[in-house]
Short mmCIF file of all heavy atoms in Angstrom, two decimals:
data_model
loop_
_atom_site.label_atom_id
_atom_site.label_comp_id
_atom_site.label_asym_id
_atom_site.label_seq_id
_atom_site.Cartn_x
_atom_site.Cartn_y
_atom_site.Cartn_z
N LEU N 87 0.82 -1.21 0.00
CA LEU N 87 0.00 0.00 0.00
C LEU N 87 0.85 1.26 0.00
O LEU N 87 0.53 2.25 -0.68
CB LEU N 87 -0.93 -0.01 1.21
CG LEU N 87 -1.98 -1.13 1.24
CD1 LEU N 87 -2.76 -1.08 2.55
CD2 LEU N 87 -2.94 -1.03 0.06
N LEU N 88 1.94 1.26 0.75
CA LEU N 88 2.83 2.42 0.75
C LEU N 88 3.46 2.63 -0.62
O LEU N 88 3.62 3.77 -1.08
CB LEU N 88 3.93 2.23 1.81
CG LEU N 88 3.47 2.29 3.27
CD1 LEU N 88 4.58 1.83 4.19
CD2 LEU N 88 3.02 3.71 3.63
N LYS N 89 3.80 1.53 -1.28
CA LYS N 89 4.40 1.64 -2.62
C LYS N 89 3.37 2.18 -3.61
O LYS N 89 3.67 3.07 -4.43
CB LYS N 89 4.90 0.26 -3.07
CG LYS N 89 5.54 0.25 -4.47
CD LYS N 89 6.90 0.88 -4.46
CE LYS N 89 7.62 0.91 -5.78
NZ LYS N 89 7.25 0.01 -6.84
N ARG N 90 2.15 1.66 -3.57
CA ARG N 90 1.11 2.12 -4.49
C ARG N 90 0.79 3.60 -4.28
O ARG N 90 0.54 4.34 -5.24
CB ARG N 90 -0.16 1.29 -4.30
CG ARG N 90 -0.06 -0.14 -4.80
CD ARG N 90 -1.35 -0.89 -4.47
NE ARG N 90 -1.27 -2.29 -4.85
CZ ARG N 90 -2.21 -3.20 -4.53
NH1 ARG N 90 -3.28 -2.82 -3.83
NH2 ARG N 90 -2.07 -4.45 -4.90
N ALA N 91 0.77 4.01 -3.01
CA ALA N 91 0.43 5.40 -2.69
C ALA N 91 1.59 6.36 -2.89
O ALA N 91 1.43 7.57 -2.72
CB ALA N 91 -0.08 5.48 -1.25
N ARG N 92 2.76 5.80 -3.23
CA ARG N 92 3.97 6.61 -3.44
C ARG N 92 4.27 7.50 -2.21
O ARG N 92 4.61 8.67 -2.35
CB ARG N 92 3.86 7.46 -4.70
CG ARG N 92 3.73 6.65 -5.97
CD ARG N 92 3.75 7.57 -7.20
NE ARG N 92 3.72 6.80 -8.44
CZ ARG N 92 2.60 6.41 -9.06
NH1 ARG N 92 1.42 6.73 -8.52
NH2 ARG N 92 2.66 5.73 -10.19
N VAL N 93 4.08 6.92 -1.03
CA VAL N 93 4.36 7.67 0.19
C VAL N 93 5.86 7.94 0.28
O VAL N 93 6.68 7.03 0.16
CB VAL N 93 3.88 6.90 1.43
CG1 VAL N 93 4.29 7.62 2.71
CG2 VAL N 93 2.37 6.70 1.39
N ALA N 94 6.22 9.20 0.46
CA ALA N 94 7.63 9.58 0.61
C ALA N 94 8.09 9.22 2.02
O ALA N 94 7.53 9.72 3.00
CB ALA N 94 7.81 11.06 0.34
N LEU N 95 9.10 8.38 2.12
CA LEU N 95 9.55 7.87 3.41
C LEU N 95 10.81 8.60 3.87
O LEU N 95 11.65 8.98 3.05
CB LEU N 95 9.85 6.38 3.32
CG LEU N 95 8.71 5.48 2.82
CD1 LEU N 95 9.20 4.06 2.65
CD2 LEU N 95 7.53 5.53 3.78
N ASP N 96 10.94 8.77 5.20
CA ASP N 96 12.18 9.34 5.71
C ASP N 96 13.04 8.28 6.41
O ASP N 96 14.06 8.59 6.99
CB ASP N 96 11.93 10.52 6.64
CG ASP N 96 11.30 10.12 7.97
OD1 ASP N 96 10.95 8.93 8.15
OD2 ASP N 96 11.16 11.00 8.84
N ARG N 97 12.59 7.04 6.36
CA ARG N 97 13.41 5.90 6.79
C ARG N 97 13.01 4.67 5.98
O ARG N 97 11.85 4.58 5.52
CB ARG N 97 13.27 5.64 8.30
CG ARG N 97 11.92 5.12 8.72
CD ARG N 97 11.94 4.70 10.19
NE ARG N 97 11.83 5.84 11.11
CZ ARG N 97 12.60 5.99 12.17
NH1 ARG N 97 13.55 5.09 12.44
NH2 ARG N 97 12.44 7.04 12.97
N ASP N 98 13.93 3.76 5.77
CA ASP N 98 13.61 2.52 5.06
C ASP N 98 12.62 1.70 5.88
O ASP N 98 12.64 1.72 7.12
CB ASP N 98 14.86 1.68 4.83
CG ASP N 98 15.78 2.24 3.76
OD1 ASP N 98 15.53 3.36 3.29
OD2 ASP N 98 16.76 1.55 3.41
N ILE N 99 11.79 0.95 5.17
CA ILE N 99 10.90 -0.02 5.80
C ILE N 99 11.27 -1.39 5.26
O ILE N 99 11.32 -1.60 4.04
CB ILE N 99 9.42 0.27 5.52
CG1 ILE N 99 9.05 1.68 6.01
CG2 ILE N 99 8.53 -0.77 6.19
CD1 ILE N 99 7.65 2.11 5.62
N ILE N 100 11.55 -2.32 6.15
CA ILE N 100 11.96 -3.67 5.78
C ILE N 100 10.86 -4.65 6.20
O ILE N 100 10.28 -4.52 7.29
CB ILE N 100 13.28 -4.06 6.47
CG1 ILE N 100 14.38 -3.05 6.17
CG2 ILE N 100 13.72 -5.46 6.06
CD1 ILE N 100 15.62 -3.24 7.02
N PHE N 101 10.58 -5.60 5.34
CA PHE N 101 9.71 -6.72 5.68
C PHE N 101 10.57 -7.98 5.74
O PHE N 101 11.35 -8.24 4.81
CB PHE N 101 8.60 -6.91 4.66
CG PHE N 101 7.90 -8.25 4.76
CD1 PHE N 101 6.86 -8.43 5.65
CD2 PHE N 101 8.29 -9.32 3.97
CE1 PHE N 101 6.23 -9.65 5.76
CE2 PHE N 101 7.67 -10.56 4.07
CZ PHE N 101 6.63 -10.72 4.96
N ALA N 102 10.45 -8.76 6.81
CA ALA N 102 11.14 -10.04 6.91
C ALA N 102 10.13 -11.13 7.23
O ALA N 102 9.51 -11.12 8.29
CB ALA N 102 12.23 -9.99 7.99
N GLY N 103 9.94 -12.04 6.27
CA GLY N 103 9.13 -13.23 6.50
C GLY N 103 10.09 -14.39 6.71
O GLY N 103 10.74 -14.82 5.76
N VAL N 104 10.19 -14.88 7.94
CA VAL N 104 11.33 -15.73 8.30
C VAL N 104 10.91 -17.16 8.62
O VAL N 104 9.77 -17.45 8.96
CB VAL N 104 12.10 -15.14 9.50
CG1 VAL N 104 12.61 -13.75 9.16
CG2 VAL N 104 11.23 -15.10 10.75
N ALA N 105 11.90 -18.03 8.52
CA ALA N 105 11.74 -19.44 8.84
C ALA N 105 12.01 -19.68 10.32
O ALA N 105 12.61 -18.86 11.01
CB ALA N 105 12.71 -20.26 7.99
N ASP N 106 11.52 -20.81 10.81
CA ASP N 106 12.07 -21.51 11.98
C ASP N 106 11.85 -20.87 13.34
O ASP N 106 12.44 -21.32 14.32
CB ASP N 106 13.58 -21.74 11.78
CG ASP N 106 14.13 -22.82 12.71
OD1 ASP N 106 13.45 -23.83 12.90
OD2 ASP N 106 15.23 -22.63 13.26
N GLU N 107 10.97 -19.89 13.49
CA GLU N 107 10.78 -19.30 14.82
C GLU N 107 10.26 -20.34 15.80
O GLU N 107 10.63 -20.32 16.99
CB GLU N 107 9.80 -18.12 14.73
CG GLU N 107 9.72 -17.29 16.00
CD GLU N 107 8.72 -17.78 17.02
OE1 GLU N 107 7.88 -18.67 16.69
OE2 GLU N 107 8.75 -17.31 18.17
N GLU N 108 9.44 -21.26 15.33
CA GLU N 108 8.82 -22.22 16.24
C GLU N 108 9.81 -23.26 16.78
O GLU N 108 9.48 -23.99 17.72
CB GLU N 108 7.65 -22.95 15.54
CG GLU N 108 6.51 -22.04 15.12
CD GLU N 108 5.73 -21.46 16.30
OE1 GLU N 108 6.11 -21.74 17.45
OE2 GLU N 108 4.77 -20.72 16.06
N SER N 109 11.00 -23.32 16.22
CA SER N 109 12.02 -24.26 16.73
C SER N 109 13.28 -23.55 17.19
O SER N 109 14.35 -24.16 17.24
CB SER N 109 12.36 -25.31 15.66
OG SER N 109 11.28 -26.18 15.45
N GLY N 110 13.19 -22.26 17.50
CA GLY N 110 14.32 -21.56 18.08
C GLY N 110 14.91 -20.45 17.25
O GLY N 110 15.84 -19.78 17.69
N SER N 111 14.46 -20.28 15.99
CA SER N 111 14.86 -19.16 15.12
C SER N 111 16.24 -19.31 14.48
O SER N 111 16.67 -18.43 13.72
CB SER N 111 14.82 -17.82 15.88
OG SER N 111 13.56 -17.58 16.45
N ASN N 112 16.95 -20.41 14.75
CA ASN N 112 18.32 -20.52 14.25
C ASN N 112 18.41 -20.55 12.73
O ASN N 112 19.38 -20.05 12.15
CB ASN N 112 18.99 -21.76 14.84
CG ASN N 112 19.29 -21.61 16.31
OD1 ASN N 112 19.73 -20.56 16.77
ND2 ASN N 112 19.01 -22.65 17.09
N LYS N 113 17.39 -21.12 12.08
CA LYS N 113 17.41 -21.21 10.62
C LYS N 113 16.67 -20.06 9.95
O LYS N 113 16.52 -20.04 8.74
CB LYS N 113 16.82 -22.56 10.18
CG LYS N 113 17.64 -23.74 10.67
CD LYS N 113 16.95 -25.07 10.38
CE LYS N 113 17.75 -26.22 10.98
NZ LYS N 113 17.07 -27.52 10.80
#
C-alpha cells in the first residue's frame, strides 16, 4: 500500500518473513 500510494519515506521499511521461529529461530 505504501508503494502504491507513493508515500515519501524518511526511513527505510523492511519486511522479513522468516523461517524456523517455532524451533528456536536458528534457521
Side-chain angles (χ1 to χ4, degrees):
L87 296 176
L88 291 169
K89 180 74 179 339
R90 288 177 184 172
R92 297 185 176 89
V93 175
L95 304 174
D96 70 355
R97 69 172 79 226
D98 287 8
I99 302 173
I100 304 170
F101 165 85
V104 301
D106 198 40
E107 191 273 348
E108 298 292 1
S109 291
S111 304
N112 289 319
K113 297 173 184 176

